[in-house]
Amino acid sequence: MAFEAYEPSVVVDDFARKIDSICVWNDTLIAGLSDGSLLFFQEQQQQGSAQSSGRVLSSWQVTRVQKNFGKRGVQQLLALEDQQYLLSLSDDGVQLHSLPELQLVSTASRTARGVTAFAWDDARQLLVTAVRKKVISHQLDSSHTFLEMTEYELPEPVSCLTWVGSNILLGTPKSYWLIVPAASQAMEVLPGQVVLMYPAVQPQLLFAAGSGHAPVMARLASGEALVTKDSVSYFLGPDGKPSRKTTLSWSQPPNVLVAGRLYVAALLPGCVEVKSISRVGASAAEQTLLLPGMAVAAPAASSCGCLYIASSGDKGIRELRPVPLERQARLL
């Protein structure tokens, strides 16, 4: 039998509305649509019929529709770990809303125009945003207000970014870059008034992003990041240097990478390819899922390790549930 890391199942099929982003919040899946709406999905379980041997069946239902959450599309979503808050990117900028009320709490400054992506560091409560050719860092304070800290200049517009350790990994149309933030400095701005200043530093050029393909990256639980050049993904450490001698090769350049606990899934135009993070190069621990058109992924796995991916067209949303480890071992 072929190896299986994940079992795919349907959350919603033949979905007529364009999905721009998805994220997981507790037992709820939140989808951001191109018309600015948010949809909340929850899994409903019911006892199977006698013909199905009484097993528990499940289906997903839309439990809430929030219209006009954004002026137009909701391009990125992230539910903050262990907090009742939702980070979002839309035409209104990068904003923090309370959950489940969806009350606006704070907006990151200078993100209302030209913002393309954000990345969040939960341990330090730090947000970085990509705004055209700039990266701006923000601290979320105790009152849940974003305070602007530092601005970094790039020679090209920033397409994507993520934290790798305490540093910031960036992708532009042509290259990958690393920002190593400087330590804060105490400065006396008025007699007896001392503030912390965060000096800007020059981003470090790492390497070219590839020939004609957008940069793609994913943050790993190990503290590493995966970055893709053409059809190959490289493991990078916090210093921006390769952290492993091995790489991950895909059949085509991925549109999206999403990492689970043990595996990383690459969303390709015609399928989803899954490879082991720990057993790199072991062809036995690979899986191909015939799920064409998947181009959107939740940024993090659920508490049970499930990944969620979606089509930007009409093919809906799929859940990738981890196969039990003992069953994986039998298939290797």
Side-chain angles (χ1 to χ4, degrees):
M1 293 180 63
F3 177 76
E4 293 181 344
Y6 292 102
E7 288 182 313
S9 62
V10 174
V11 174
V12 59
D13 210 0
D14 298 325
F15 195 67
R17 303 167 74 181
K18 186 175 183 295
I19 299 171
D20 284 345
S21 57
I22 53 177
C23 77
V24 181
W25 173 55
N26 296 333
D27 60 349
T28 300
L29 186 65
I30 307 175
L33 307 185
S34 61
D35 64 2
S37 302
L38 289 185
L39 295 185
F40 288 67
F41 295 87
Q42 285 190 313
E43 193 172 21
Q44 311 293 319
Q45 293 189 341
Q46 55 187 3
Q47 196 69 21
S49 63
Q51 289 82 1
S52 63
S53 304
R55 63 186 178 91
V56 175
L57 305 177
S58 64
S59 63
W60 290 80
Q61 302 292 332
V62 175
T63 57
R64 180 179 177 183
V65 178
Q66 184 72 31
K67 295 183 178 180
N68 302 316
F69 179 79
K71 293 179 182 177
R72 286 183 286 182
V74 183
Q75 290 94 40
Q76 191 175 351
L77 289 171
L78 177 67
L80 303 193
E81 297 177 22
D82 303 322
Q83 300 184 53
Q84 304 295 306
Y85 294 100
L86 179 70
L87 270 174
S88 64
L89 187 163
S90 69
D91 282 356
D92 297 313
V94 177
Q95 296 185 321
L96 185 72
H97 287 79
S98 62
L99 285 171
E101 301 85 1
L102 290 179
Q103 294 295 316
L104 178 62
V105 177
S106 185
T107 300
S109 60
R110 295 196 288 159
T111 60
R113 290 185 180 181
V115 62
T116 53
F118 68 79
W120 172 252
D121 184 322
D122 196 66
R124 296 182 298 160
Q125 302 284 285
L126 287 176
L127 173 75
V128 285
T129 59
V131 184
R132 298 188 178 93
K133 295 182 181 181
K134 297 178 180 179
V135 171
I136 305 171
S137 64
H138 310 260
Q139 178 76 59
L140 187 64
D141 68 9
S142 58
S143 64
H144 292 93
T145 299
F146 285 121
L147 304 177
E148 185 175 325
M149 296 169 59
T150 313
E151 175 187 301
Y152 306 94
E153 295 276 356
L154 276 295
E156 297 180 285
V158 179
S159 306
C160 55
L161 74 171
T162 188
W163 289 98
V164 53
S166 59
N167 300 329
I168 308 163
L169 184 64
L170 316 170
T172 65
K174 296 180 180 179
S175 307
Y176 286 104
W177 302 77
L178 185 74
I179 294 175
V180 180
S184 60
Q185 299 176 1
M187 297 187 66
E188 188 175 28
V189 293
L190 292 172
Q193 183 177 355
V194 177
V195 298
L196 289 178
M197 304 295 290
Y198 296 86
V201 297
Q202 187 68 27
Q204 304 171 20
L205 175 63
L206 298 180
F207 51 84
S211 55
H213 300 291
V216 176
M217 61 179 61
R219 185 181 185 182
L220 305 182
S222 61
E224 301 165 290
L226 269 178
V227 300
T228 299
K229 182 177 181 179
D230 297 324
S231 298
V232 179
S233 292
Y234 300 84
F235 293 87
L236 298 186
D239 58 359
K241 297 178 181 179
S243 54
R244 308 188 194 186
K245 295 180 179 179
T246 51
T247 59
L248 298 177
S249 296
W250 313 101
S251 61
Q252 301 175 66
N255 294 321
V256 177
L257 290 176
V258 56
R261 295 169 184 167
L262 301 174
Y263 299 92
V264 61
L267 310 191
L268 310 180
C271 66
V272 176
E273 293 183 356
V274 178
K275 295 181 185 289
S276 172
I277 296 173
S278 58
R279 296 167 55 91
V280 177
S283 58
E286 297 180 355
Q287 182 182 15
T288 299
L289 299 168
L290 298 180
L291 298 172
M294 296 290 129
V296 178
S302 68
S303 59
C304 63
C306 293
L307 303 180
Y308 293 92
I309 58 177
S311 165
S312 58
D314 60 356
K315 300 184 184 299
I317 304 173
R318 299 294 185 268
E319 176 189 73
L320 304 184
R321 181 170 293 273
V323 170
L325 291 177
E326 59 271 18
R327 181 175 156 195
Q328 293 183 35
R330 290 198 301 268
L331 294 173
L332 286 174

